[in-house]
Amino acid sequence: MNSRLIRSWVQGANAADCPFPLNNLPCGVFAADQGGPRCGVAIGDCVLDVAGLEKAGLLSLPGAPLLDVPFWNAVMGAGPAVWAALRARLTALLAEGSADQAVVEPFLVPLSGVELRLPFVVREYTDFYSGRHHAANVGRMFRGAENALPPNWLHIPIGYNGRASSVVVSGTPVRRPWGQVKGPDHAVPSFQPSRRFDFELEVGAVIGTPSVHGQPVTVAEADAMIFGFVLLNDWSARDIQAWEYQPLGPFQAKATATTISPWIVMKAALEPFRVPAPPREVPLLPYLHEPHPMLYDIALEVGLRPEGGAETVIARTNYREMYYSAPQQLAHHTSSGCAMNTGDLLGSGTISGPARDSRGSLLELSWGGDDPVAITGATRTFIEDNDTITLRGQCRGPGYTIGFGDCTGKVIPALADPYARQGT
C-alpha cells in the first residue's frame, strides 16, 4: 500500500484512529440548529456543510448547483469526473496550510450536535447472496454438507429484488414484524410475531452513473459506475422466511427494514485497500471476469447490546471474504438488459468468514438456534426485544483509518395487534 495520511487543519482529523481523515471525505446528510437537512462531508470531529460552501461560491462543480437538495443523487449521477473534482477541491480547502481555512471554518459543524439522515434517495434495492462461507453454512444447516451450495452458486451471483422503501438510516428503530409462520409439527401456518429475528452483516454498493436499458455493462464499466459504499444490515425474519421462500425466494421476511450507515464512503477513498477475489473453484463465464482486484480490505464487526446492558462484539470478519465483488454483481444485474439507476443500492449478501466468531448472522453464530451465543450476562440464539445491533467497518492505512460510521438499529417489540385501528 503506497497511500499516506493527508494532513488537515481540522480538529481531530489527523489522529490515527479518527474514522474521518482527509483521505476519507464520506458523504452524508445532516440537520443541525433546527435548520433543514443538507449535504455534508465528515472530516475529523465535524461535518462540513458542503451545501453551504456551494451556495457561498466556495465549491463550484461542473453542472452546479448539485448540492442544493438534501440528498447526494445529483452529484452521484454527475459521474466520475465530478466526483474527482469534488474530492480535489475539498482536499485543497481542508489540507494543512490551506489559505482558505478562515473562510471555510464557519461551515464546520460539530458531529456531536447533528442529526444524520438517509444520505441518498434509494431508487431500487437488490440484495445478493455472494458470501461463500455464509452460503455454505446455511446450506449445511438445511440441505446437508453434500448439497451445501446450490448447483448455480459457483457460476452466478444470486440475488433478489427487495424494497427500496425498506431502507432506513442508522439509528432508526426496527419493529419486530408479524408474519405467517409454520412449524414442522403444525398442519397449517399461524400469523404471529417473528421469534427468529436476525441481522445480516453486509456492505452496500451505491450506484452513481446509470446504465442504458437494453445494454449490458462490463465488469470494468460497472466498477466505474459505483459512487461508494455503506454498511448494510439486511434484517431477516428467519421463521417467516422458512415458510415463504419456496419457490420464489425471500419476500416479507426481508421487507421489514434494511439499515444503512449514514455516510457513503466514496470509492476513491477505498482505492488503496483493493484486494483480489478468492480462488475460483470453477471458471467464471467471460462476462464476469475481473480486470483487476475489486474487493476491499474492510475489517467488519457486529456488536449486540441488550437494553440496560453492555455491548458484546459477537462477530468479526472482513469484506475480502466475498466470492463475488460489487462490480461483478452489477455487471450480472445488467446482463439481461436491465437498466440501473442513480441511487440504486446493491447489498453484498451476508459476509461471513471461516471461523465461528466470523459468521455474519445469528442464524450461523447460533447454528440455527442450537448453539447459543454468549453475551455479557446472558446468551442469544436470535435477537430479543430491545436488543441493539451495531455494525462497524474500517480500513487501516499507514497512520490513518477510513471509517463508515456505525450502522445501528434497536429492535422494538411487535405491535400487540397489527390490524387494530383506532375507532374500529
Side-chain angles (χ1 to χ4, degrees):
M1 184 183 304
N2 57 7
S3 63
R4 59 178 178 80
L5 171 68
I6 307 172
R7 297 188 64 83
S8 172
W9 53 262
V10 177
Q11 179 72 29
N14 300 326
D17 60 350
C18 172
F20 307 127
L22 191 48
N23 301 63
N24 193 349
L25 298 176
C27 305
V29 170
F30 74 101
D33 299 329
Q34 314 215 331
R38 52 198 186 273
C39 290
V41 166
I43 177 71
D45 301 326
C46 298
V47 56
L48 178 66
D49 181 359
V50 292
L53 284 180
E54 183 183 62
K55 186 176 181 180
L58 295 170
L59 176 62
S60 181
L61 298 173
L66 297 175
L67 295 163
D68 58 342
V69 288
F71 41 81
W72 280 87
N73 295 59
V75 173
M76 289 159 46
V82 172
W83 310 341
L86 170 68
R87 290 183 64 83
R89 179 57 176 160
L90 292 181
T91 299
L93 292 173
L94 298 170
E96 195 171 67
S98 170
D100 297 300
Q101 178 175 343
V103 295
V104 173
E105 278 183 318
F107 294 93
L108 289 172
V109 182
L111 272 169
S112 59
V114 305
E115 177 187 345
L116 298 174
R117 306 288 182 85
L118 202 65
F120 66 104
V121 177
V122 182
R123 288 286 302 274
E124 306 280 356
Y125 168 52
T126 303
D127 191 45
F128 284 87
Y129 188 57
S130 293
R132 171 65 189 272
H133 297 292
H134 171 71
N137 285 337
V138 173
R140 281 195 293 270
M141 270 186 265
F142 296 107
R143 294 186 296 274
E146 66 282 358
N147 296 308
L149 292 178
N152 59 353
W153 199 93
L154 294 171
H155 298 270
I156 186 173
I158 298 173
Y160 69 94
N161 287 308
R163 292 284 301 174
S165 64
S166 75
V167 180
V168 297
V169 72
S170 175
T172 305
V174 175
R175 188 174 294 280
R176 183 179 298 275
W178 285 68
Q180 280 201 28
V181 175
K182 181 185 177 298
D185 300 326
H186 296 92
V188 296
S190 61
F191 188 69
Q192 63 184 47
S194 172
R195 296 175 183 172
R196 293 165 67 91
F197 200 52
D198 200 0
F199 69 87
E200 288 190 343
L201 170 60
E202 302 193 26
V203 168
V206 181
I207 306 306
T209 50
S211 67
V212 177
H213 183 247
Q215 179 60 59
V217 302
T218 67
V219 172
E221 290 169 336
D223 189 39
M225 291 168 58
I226 295 173
F227 177 69
F229 293 84
V230 293
L231 302 181
L232 185 150
N233 183 350
D234 190 39
W235 303 90
S236 299
R238 303 296 186 186
D239 41 3
I240 296 172
Q241 184 174 352
W243 169 238
E244 75 172 6
Y245 83 102
Q246 295 188 42
L248 295 180
F251 184 45
Q252 291 299 86
K254 299 277 193 169
T256 300
T258 299
T259 302
I260 64 170
S261 52
W263 301 105
I264 308 170
V265 175
M266 295 176 70
K267 188 176 58 180
L270 300 175
E271 287 299 320
F273 305 97
R274 284 187 183 262
V275 292
R280 304 300 181 185
E281 294 192 19
V282 297
L284 296 177
L285 293 176
Y287 80 98
L288 290 173
H289 287 178
E290 296 171 296
H292 55 263
M294 291 187 177
L295 293 177
Y296 300 99
D297 181 5
I298 306 172
L300 302 165
E301 70 175 35
V302 182
L304 188 155
R305 179 174 60 82
E307 187 170 39
E311 181 185 87
T312 301
V313 175
I314 58 174
R316 288 185 174 92
T317 186
N318 195 293
Y319 181 65
R320 69 189 307 162
E321 297 287 353
M322 297 303 300
Y323 194 81
Y324 296 102
S325 67
Q328 286 177 308
Q329 294 169 339
L330 178 54
H332 178 66
H333 212 323
T334 71
S335 63
S336 64
C338 171
M340 304 302 294
N341 299 307
T342 298
D344 283 356
L345 176 65
L346 305 185
S348 63
T350 304
I351 306 168
S352 296
R356 182 187 190 270
D357 63 359
S358 65
R359 298 171 183 167
S361 66
L362 275 168
L363 176 69
E364 298 166 85
L365 286 164
S366 72
W367 208 252
D370 293 337
D371 187 11
V373 177
I375 63 171
T376 303
T379 61
R380 288 290 186 274
T381 52
F382 292 94
I383 301 171
E384 297 188 4
D385 286 348
N386 301 310
D387 284 349
T388 296
I389 300 294
T390 300
L391 314 185
R392 299 184 182 92
Q394 63 177 18
C395 305
R396 295 304 298 264
Y400 71 93
T401 301
I402 300 293
F404 289 75
D406 288 357
C407 179
T408 297
K410 180 178 180 178
V411 175
I412 58 177
L415 294 170
D417 182 348
Y419 291 104
R421 298 291 186 268
Q422 186 174 1
T424 61

